[in-house]
Amino acid sequence: MSKTDIHGIIGYTVTPFGAHGEGLDLPALGRSIDRMIDSGVHAIAPLGSTGEGAYLSDAEWDQVAEFSIRHVAKRVPTIVSVSDLTTAKAVRRARFAEAHGADVVMVLPASYWKLSEAEILAHYRAIGDSIGVPIMLYNNPATSGTDMSVELILRIVNGVENVTMVKESTGDIQRMHKLQLLGEGRVPFYNGCNPLALEAFAAGARGWCTAAPNLIAPLNLDLYAATLAGDLAKARELFYRQLPLLDFILKGGLPATIKAGLRETGLEAGDPRLPVFPLSEAGRTQLKALLKLLR
Amino acid sequence: MSKTDIHGIIGYTVTPFGAHGEGLDLPALGRSIDRMIDSGVHAIAPLGSTGEGAYLSDAEWDQVAEFSIRHVAKRVPTIVSVSDLTTAKAVRRARFAEAHGADVVMVLPASYWKLSEAEILAHYRAIGDSIGVPIMLYNNPATSGTDMSVELILRIVNGVENVTMVKESTGDIQRMHKLQLLGEGRVPFYNGCNPLALEAFAAGARGWCTAAPNLIAPLNLDLYAATLAGDLAKARELFYRQLPLLDFILKGGLPATIKAGLRETGLEAGDPRLPVFPLSEAGRTQLKALLKLLR
Amino acid sequence: MSKTDIHGIIGYTVTPFGAHGEGLDLPALGRSIDRMIDSGVHAIAPLGSTGEGAYLSDAEWDQVAEFSIRHVAKRVPTIVSVSDLTTAKAVRRARFAEAHGADVVMVLPASYWKLSEAEILAHYRAIGDSIGVPIMLYNNPATSGTDMSVELILRIVNGVENVTMVKESTGDIQRMHKLQLLGEGRVPFYNGCNPLALEAFAAGARGWCTAAPNLIAPLNLDLYAATLAGDLAKARELFYRQLPLLDFILKGGLPATIKAGLRETGLEAGDPRLPVFPLSEAGRTQLKALLKLLR
Amino acid sequence: MSKTDIHGIIGYTVTPFGAHGEGLDLPALGRSIDRMIDSGVHAIAPLGSTGEGAYLSDAEWDQVAEFSIRHVAKRVPTIVSVSDLTTAKAVRRARFAEAHGADVVMVLPASYWKLSEAEILAHYRAIGDSIGVPIMLYNNPATSGTDMSVELILRIVNGVENVTMVKESTGDIQRMHKLQLLGEGRVPFYNGCNPLALEAFAAGARGWCTAAPNLIAPLNLDLYAATLAGDLAKARELFYRQLPLLDFILKGGLPATIKAGLRETGLEAGDPRLPVFPLSEAGRTQLKALLKLLR
């Protein structure tokens, strides 16, 4: 697996449910995956925040993981989020994902209790020791309640062999600067904060982890291409064009807004699971207007 | 159930595990319940934060709930925490708890995604509509990621008939003041922040939700009695005496410190589940010294 | 000065201005001082936050300090706030206050640049070395931008001989607990957060630094007396009665609300200095209603 | 004055003092101004944070303002910071600066009391009405204690004719995005956060307000030129090269680090005023090493 080069636009999938949030709609998931790959995204990431991974039963989680990997079928790399509250369950998921062909697993140190640095390191080590594929460490204090300092992140990267990538979602660009300087440019980092897309690429991010390509993949891809080409003026123009939509999907909650957007663009993927509401009528009107501007 | 009067010292139980955090040790749970009831606590609360409720499988959760209620056997009221990420699962747990004899259920709006006020209200309404026993609303942004304003709390209390009590764990005494003033003294509130015990009682809290009685029930009960009797000087003296231990169990993490303390006092309850570590050697030495001072 | 015992209700004065915030109205200041002393407050504190000390020219500051001390005339102790951005100016003010008879000076580490602990300690030492009267250290990060930890506060108390009292205005009762425990009960602390008055006394505060006695001295004094007598029920009742007014003066800004209240009760003290606005029409109506309820 | 085009590298001056922080050393100030102008900076800004404006007496402030403007002598525009706690004093300073030839005045809503939006707007209006030169609004909650939302900033820009530029120093790039989107690209914004220099230019900032050109003007200017030329790779390389120094001067406090750096590069500018310490021995060693790497 050491050859996997993760870069560019990493598209996050939703998890389509049936009526009343019951059951899985795997065919719809397949369609959303195809749409993103056909648009040109560089990797597919199921079961992340957007995929409502935390709201699935264990059986559902397994089904979605297995189906997604099989459906992507190595057209691009698949990055499976395997976060769980206990180390034992996260290990089980990581092994399951690897056994079914995941190229990379992503690990957020989800927790109910505040974890010490030693506990976080041991959590990553236990998962790392149980699989052979690379791990993308994921820092997102807003959802996990745990903010890993850059120093801790580098300690984990240096201490656990297959933790080789970092996804940073604090939205604080200084974290990326510090990763770059303290990591001496050798730790590839990825941006997980949509409204930071332009600046993260400016600062050297290898990729952008985002659910936006479900709706506006060409704009996301063009922004990446412009920064790769070093065309700052074009990148800035592309960024400000898509920013209102990026802000909208972030503030409205990714599962609700992306599912509403998919419906709007002809791909029925159901509603989020309660307590999360589907997008309101007013929200749908606003989303429609934003999408229309970008077509 | 309308006659249930919840007040005083509400003792939170741990969930004892077997070796390596596997399996449940229900006899040990029974012993810890007996110990607290024999000491005089006014209610028992299983499956809260201290009980590592978030770290249990569904089957384990059911076992602990059923066992705890049966073991308490109405000697005092039992308050079962039924929080879950999805509304559907929280409803299932609430019904299960009621069916097995819980006197009260406690609900924390746990969430991965930031919930809107309407989503939180609907979550409480769905649970309230599905059961007949009273609900204690629980606000603890540090663990749930959701901070409910006093205005929202009162909207829920007024809008969902069986939400009749509020457990406040922000540690900000002004929240209790506001509950008292805006609630016009009609909404009983309970303190969930150990180092605020003295001031919460001074401000009019009806009870103190705490894991401390696993270790120092007499001191907790005496503090409550002193405030009931209006003896401020004695209450202050009792509070400062137990404060170092209260600070210690909070900062060290309740499952780790309380399980270590139970072991120290002759009741083996196993270790917390990973990624949470058992108390360190240094921590155990400190805990031993603190407990010795209080005996 | 070692015999000065500061305790109870410490009344903060406003600084009355002429029309358009120009000039000082010292006779009005004298009347406000007399009113508080006649009501029974235990000390008078000019030139604090309420006194708009930061908005005065050096000449005005000197006039107010000199006048206040002379007018109090040792009926009760006078505590003069001598904070300034530079150490040199704070030293000058401290000497001026002492030379004119101040019993205590109060020092807030006001700053534009974030100060290190060593810089804060040196600032207190420079002031302490230049005068003989006791110093009350004042911690109020909301106005000074500098939050002193309890450990730092105790380091200053232990390192600068005449820093003998601590005024805590973070509003976090845990700071007082820590002062009590780490200070081994030997460092008298005073509460500067109005809506924490009940709990601060419960936790052992020696006094309450407040502008409220300009308007409701009897209620403030009764609350103090009830806590001294250990009558918790009465203290709680008195506290909740005055709490809406305490909340109001804090949220509305002390100079604006207290000056409006003085006017309402027949003592014209002018308006605050711009950019601070006088209390709005709506605010005055609300204040009138709150005061009426308490008469 | 409507023709003044402020852009590029805006160099902040220190205020050199004599021994023990007493007196002004205007010749040294002149030398530091010449050095920056000779290096090619696009504007000079005296009396800002770096210039310890808050620590000067009124007479000293006047001297520094007058001397700076005269010494710059229109070689580049001069931007004078005229912040003060009271509106009356800020107006006086603004008039003084204009009368002596300032091209722009910069206004930070410094305050002791938390200001309402209406109070902040009135403060800017009063200053705007009293002068004819353009005003750069300055948002820096870390030093002023007041965080102006983008909506408020635009309300001020739209409501006060000569507030035509915005300096943003929160360090949050999203503020600039919002200024760009809500301001419809018509409000020029300037970055005041050194470690955000690359991304602020990427996001469209017109200029960078910084004290760094006292020490490394060529690197600052090259970074600006690279972003103007749209050469992202070169800009990134230049940014990461100077970032350790930018981080250092920010964390060490600008007056202390810049004055130490000036001394190191042969321009004696004295020490900061107490309570601010001069740079420590260890800090000087680190600064020397950082500067050596960049030469």
Side-chain angles (χ1 to χ4, degrees):
Chain A
M1 239 14 280
S2 61
K3 300 295 170 35
T4 307
D5 174 31
I6 305 295
H7 68 274
I9 303 301
I10 297 150
Y12 278 66
T13 57
V14 298
T15 299
F17 298 124
H20 307 298
E22 284 167 24
L24 299 172
D25 182 352
L26 296 178
L29 174 54
R31 282 191 291 277
S32 80
I33 289 173
D34 290 342
R35 188 194 269 201
M36 283 201 279
I37 294 179
D38 293 348
S39 297
V41 302
H42 304 94
I44 290 288
L47 291 163
S49 301
T50 306
E52 297 172 74
Y55 295 80
L56 304 181
S57 72
D58 283 340
E60 289 173 331
W61 191 93
D62 288 358
Q63 279 184 275
V64 172
E66 189 174 354
F67 175 86
S68 300
I69 297 164
R70 201 174 56 229
H71 195 84
V72 172
K74 300 285 175 192
R75 286 178 283 175
V76 296
T78 304
I79 305 172
V80 180
S81 296
V82 302
S83 309
D84 198 285
L85 281 177
T86 66
T87 301
K89 282 184 166 181
V91 163
R92 191 200 68 79
R93 287 183 170 180
R95 285 181 171 149
F96 183 95
E98 179 179 42
H100 288 80
D103 298 288
V104 172
V105 302
M106 192 171 77
V107 178
L108 177 78
S111 186
Y112 184 90
W113 289 100
K114 190 74 58 192
L115 298 178
S116 70
E117 300 209 334
E119 288 169 332
I120 295 170
L121 176 57
H123 186 66
Y124 276 99
R125 179 164 290 139
I127 300 170
D129 285 354
S130 68
I131 55 173
V133 295
I135 292 172
M136 184 182 280
L137 174 152
Y138 178 20
N139 189 39
N140 189 348
T143 56
S144 72
T146 299
D147 191 1
M148 293 184 277
S149 69
V150 171
E151 286 81 0
L152 173 60
I153 288 174
L154 291 174
R155 205 133 56 82
I156 296 169
V157 168
N158 292 327
V160 184
E161 203 187 350
N162 45 354
V163 176
T164 57
M165 294 166 276
V166 175
K167 175 180 173 192
E168 237 291 319
S169 291
T170 55
D172 176 7
I173 194 77
Q174 305 304 329
R175 301 293 181 100
M176 295 185 183
H177 294 164
K178 217 168 165 180
L179 272 167
Q180 177 72 14
L181 289 182
L182 297 187
E184 295 174 2
R186 290 191 306 245
V187 180
F189 54 86
Y190 301 79
N191 171 43
C193 174
N194 282 315
L196 200 66
L198 172 65
E199 293 82 12
F201 280 132
R206 293 269 303 147
W208 174 15
C209 300
T210 172
N214 282 287
L215 308 181
I216 52 165
L219 278 168
N220 308 143
L221 290 157
D222 287 354
L223 172 57
Y224 175 59
T227 60
L228 263 195
D231 189 343
L232 186 51
K234 191 176 173 195
R236 185 188 301 138
E237 190 275 327
L238 281 161
F239 174 68
Y240 277 116
R241 189 128 63 88
Q242 62 195 286
L243 180 56
L245 185 78
L246 299 178
D247 276 337
F248 181 85
I249 61 176
L250 185 67
K251 273 166 204 155
L254 291 171
T257 54
I258 298 296
K259 284 184 165 180
L262 285 171
R263 179 174 291 155
E264 186 57 34
T265 56
L267 202 165
E268 176 59 46
D271 288 329
R273 262 187 188 162
L274 292 173
V276 177
F277 281 1
L279 197 60
S280 68
E281 179 67 36
R284 289 201 305 274
T285 303
Q286 203 183 339
L287 177 56
K288 236 180 268 197
L290 286 169
L291 286 172
K292 203 175 161 192
L293 273 176
L294 297 180
R295 253 180 244 134
Chain B
M1 237 18 277
S2 62
K3 300 296 172 35
T4 307
D5 174 31
I6 305 296
H7 67 274
I9 302 301
I10 297 150
Y12 279 66
T13 57
V14 297
T15 299
F17 299 125
H20 307 296
E22 285 166 24
L24 300 171
D25 182 352
L26 296 178
L29 173 55
R31 281 191 292 278
S32 81
I33 290 173
D34 291 342
R35 188 195 269 200
M36 283 200 279
I37 294 179
D38 293 349
S39 298
V41 302
H42 305 94
I44 290 288
L47 291 162
S49 300
T50 306
E52 297 172 75
Y55 296 79
L56 303 181
S57 71
D58 283 341
E60 289 172 332
W61 191 93
D62 289 358
Q63 278 183 278
V64 172
E66 189 175 353
F67 175 86
S68 300
I69 297 165
R70 202 174 55 229
H71 195 85
V72 172
K74 300 287 175 189
R75 287 178 283 174
V76 297
T78 304
I79 304 172
V80 179
S81 297
V82 302
S83 310
D84 197 285
L85 281 177
T86 67
T87 301
K89 281 184 167 180
V91 164
R92 191 199 69 78
R93 286 183 171 181
R95 285 181 171 147
F96 183 95
E98 179 180 42
H100 288 80
D103 299 287
V104 172
V105 303
M106 192 171 78
V107 178
L108 176 79
S111 186
Y112 184 89
W113 289 99
K114 189 77 52 193
L115 298 177
S116 70
E117 300 209 337
E119 288 169 332
I120 295 170
L121 177 56
H123 185 66
Y124 275 100
R125 179 165 291 138
I127 300 169
D129 286 353
S130 69
I131 54 172
V133 295
I135 292 172
M136 184 183 281
L137 175 151
Y138 177 21
N139 189 41
N140 189 349
T143 56
S144 72
T146 300
D147 191 1
M148 294 185 277
S149 69
V150 171
E151 287 81 359
L152 173 60
I153 289 173
L154 291 174
R155 204 134 56 81
I156 296 169
V157 168
N158 291 327
V160 184
E161 203 186 350
N162 46 353
V163 176
T164 57
M165 295 166 275
V166 175
K167 175 182 172 190
E168 238 290 320
S169 291
T170 55
D172 176 7
I173 194 77
Q174 304 304 331
R175 301 292 181 100
M176 295 187 183
H177 294 163
K178 218 169 166 179
L179 272 167
Q180 178 72 15
L181 288 182
L182 297 186
E184 296 174 1
R186 290 190 306 245
V187 180
F189 54 87
Y190 301 78
N191 172 44
C193 174
N194 283 317
L196 200 67
L198 171 66
E199 293 83 11
F201 280 133
R206 294 270 301 147
W208 175 16
C209 300
T210 172
N214 282 287
L215 307 180
I216 52 165
L219 277 168
N220 307 142
L221 289 157
D222 287 355
L223 171 57
Y224 175 60
T227 60
L228 262 195
D231 187 342
L232 187 50
K234 191 178 174 193
R236 183 187 302 137
E237 190 275 327
L238 281 161
F239 173 67
Y240 277 117
R241 189 129 62 91
Q242 62 195 285
L243 180 56
L245 185 77
L246 299 177
D247 276 337
F248 181 85
I249 62 177
L250 185 66
K251 272 166 205 155
L254 291 170
T257 54
I258 298 295
K259 284 184 165 179
L262 285 171
R263 180 174 291 155
E264 186 57 34
T265 55
L267 203 165
E268 176 59 46
D271 287 330
R273 262 187 189 163
L274 292 174
V276 177
F277 281 1
L279 196 61
S280 68
E281 179 68 35
R284 289 201 305 274
T285 303
Q286 202 182 339
L287 177 56
K288 233 181 271 197
L290 286 168
L291 286 171
K292 202 174 161 191
L293 272 176
L294 297 179
R295 253 179 244 134
Chain C
M1 237 14 277
S2 61
K3 299 298 171 33
T4 306
D5 173 32
I6 305 295
H7 67 274
I9 303 300
I10 297 149
Y12 279 66
T13 57
V14 297
T15 299
F17 298 125
H20 308 296
E22 285 167 23
L24 299 172
D25 181 352
L26 295 179
L29 173 56
R31 281 191 291 277
S32 80
I33 289 172
D34 290 342
R35 188 196 268 201
M36 285 201 278
I37 294 179
D38 293 348
S39 297
V41 303
H42 305 93
I44 290 288
L47 292 163
S49 301
T50 306
E52 298 172 73
Y55 297 79
L56 303 181
S57 71
D58 283 340
E60 289 172 333
W61 191 93
D62 289 358
Q63 279 183 277
V64 172
E66 187 174 354
F67 175 86
S68 300
I69 297 164
R70 200 176 55 229
H71 195 84
V72 171
K74 301 286 176 189
R75 288 178 282 174
V76 295
T78 303
I79 305 172
V80 180
S81 297
V82 301
S83 310
D84 198 287
L85 282 176
T86 65
T87 300
K89 282 184 168 181
V91 163
R92 189 200 71 79
R93 286 182 171 181
R95 285 182 171 147
F96 183 96
E98 179 180 42
H100 288 80
D103 299 286
V104 173
V105 302
M106 191 171 76
V107 178
L108 176 79
S111 186
Y112 185 90
W113 289 100
K114 189 76 55 193
L115 298 178
S116 70
E117 300 208 335
E119 288 168 334
I120 295 170
L121 176 56
H123 185 66
Y124 276 99
R125 179 164 291 138
I127 300 170
D129 285 355
S130 68
I131 56 172
V133 295
I135 292 173
M136 183 182 281
L137 174 151
Y138 177 21
N139 189 39
N140 189 349
T143 55
S144 72
T146 300
D147 191 1
M148 293 184 277
S149 69
V150 171
E151 286 81 359
L152 173 60
I153 289 173
L154 291 175
R155 204 135 54 82
I156 297 169
V157 168
N158 291 327
V160 184
E161 202 186 352
N162 46 352
V163 176
T164 57
M165 294 166 276
V166 175
K167 175 180 172 191
E168 237 291 319
S169 290
T170 56
D172 177 7
I173 194 78
Q174 305 303 331
R175 302 294 181 98
M176 294 184 184
H177 293 164
K178 217 168 166 180
L179 273 167
Q180 177 73 14
L181 288 182
L182 297 187
E184 296 174 1
R186 291 191 304 245
V187 179
F189 53 88
Y190 301 79
N191 172 44
C193 175
N194 282 315
L196 200 67
L198 172 66
E199 293 83 12
F201 281 132
R206 292 271 301 147
W208 175 16
C209 300
T210 173
N214 282 287
L215 307 180
I216 52 164
L219 277 168
N220 308 143
L221 290 158
D222 287 353
L223 172 56
Y224 174 60
T227 60
L228 263 195
D231 188 342
L232 186 51
K234 191 176 173 195
R236 184 187 302 138
E237 191 274 327
L238 282 162
F239 174 67
Y240 277 117
R241 190 129 62 89
Q242 62 195 284
L243 180 56
L245 184 77
L246 299 178
D247 276 337
F248 181 87
I249 60 176
L250 186 65
K251 274 167 203 155
L254 292 171
T257 54
I258 298 295
K259 284 184 165 178
L262 285 171
R263 179 175 292 156
E264 186 57 33
T265 56
L267 203 165
E268 177 58 45
D271 288 329
R273 261 186 191 165
L274 291 174
V276 177
F277 281 2
L279 197 60
S280 68
E281 179 67 36
R284 288 201 305 273
T285 304
Q286 202 183 339
L287 177 57
K288 236 181 266 197
L290 285 169
L291 286 172
K292 202 175 163 191
L293 273 175
L294 297 180
R295 251 177 246 136
Chain D
M1 237 14 278
S2 61
K3 299 296 170 33
T4 307
D5 173 32
I6 304 296
H7 67 274
I9 302 302
I10 297 150
Y12 279 66
T13 56
V14 297
T15 299
F17 297 125
H20 308 296
E22 284 167 25
L24 300 171
D25 182 352
L26 295 178
L29 173 55
R31 282 190 292 277
S32 80
I33 289 173
D34 290 341
R35 188 196 269 201
M36 284 201 279
I37 294 179
D38 293 346
S39 298
V41 303
H42 304 93
I44 290 287
L47 291 163
S49 301
T50 307
E52 298 172 75
Y55 296 78
L56 304 180
S57 72
D58 284 339
E60 288 172 331
W61 190 93
D62 289 357
Q63 279 184 276
V64 172
E66 188 174 354
F67 175 86
S68 300
I69 297 164
R70 201 175 54 230
H71 195 83
V72 172
K74 300 287 176 189
R75 287 177 283 174
V76 296
T78 303
I79 304 172
V80 180
S81 297
V82 302
S83 309
D84 198 287
L85 281 177
T86 66
T87 301
K89 282 184 168 182
V91 164
R92 190 200 68 80
R93 286 183 172 182
R95 284 182 172 148
F96 183 95
E98 179 180 42
H100 288 80
D103 298 287
V104 173
V105 302
M106 192 171 77
V107 177
L108 176 79
S111 186
Y112 185 90
W113 289 100
K114 189 75 58 192
L115 297 178
S116 71
E117 300 209 336
E119 288 168 332
I120 294 170
L121 176 56
H123 185 66
Y124 276 100
R125 178 163 291 137
I127 300 170
D129 285 354
S130 69
I131 55 173
V133 295
I135 293 172
M136 184 181 282
L137 175 151
Y138 178 20
N139 189 40
N140 189 348
T143 54
S144 72
T146 298
D147 191 2
M148 293 185 277
S149 69
V150 171
E151 286 81 359
L152 173 60
I153 289 173
L154 291 174
R155 204 134 56 80
I156 296 169
V157 168
N158 292 327
V160 183
E161 203 186 351
N162 45 353
V163 176
T164 57
M165 295 165 275
V166 175
K167 175 181 173 191
E168 238 290 320
S169 291
T170 57
D172 176 7
I173 194 77
Q174 305 303 330
R175 302 293 181 98
M176 294 186 184
H177 293 163
K178 217 168 166 180
L179 272 168
Q180 177 73 13
L181 288 182
L182 297 186
E184 296 173 1
R186 290 191 306 246
V187 180
F189 54 86
Y190 301 79
N191 172 44
C193 175
N194 282 315
L196 200 67
L198 171 65
E199 293 82 13
F201 280 132
R206 293 269 303 145
W208 174 17
C209 300
T210 173
N214 282 288
L215 308 180
I216 53 165
L219 277 168
N220 307 143
L221 289 158
D222 288 354
L223 171 57
Y224 174 60
T227 61
L228 262 196
D231 188 343
L232 187 51
K234 190 174 173 197
R236 184 187 303 137
E237 191 274 328
L238 281 161
F239 174 67
Y240 278 117
R241 189 128 62 89
Q242 63 195 284
L243 180 55
L245 184 78
L246 299 178
D247 276 337
F248 181 86
I249 61 176
L250 186 65
K251 273 166 205 155
L254 292 170
T257 54
I258 298 296
K259 284 184 165 177
L262 285 171
R263 179 175 292 155
E264 185 58 32
T265 56
L267 202 165
E268 176 59 44
D271 287 329
R273 262 187 189 162
L274 292 174
V276 178
F277 281 1
L279 197 60
S280 68
E281 178 67 36
R284 288 201 307 274
T285 304
Q286 203 183 337
L287 176 56
K288 237 181 266 197
L290 286 168
L291 286 172
K292 202 175 163 191
L293 272 176
L294 298 180
R295 251 177 247 135

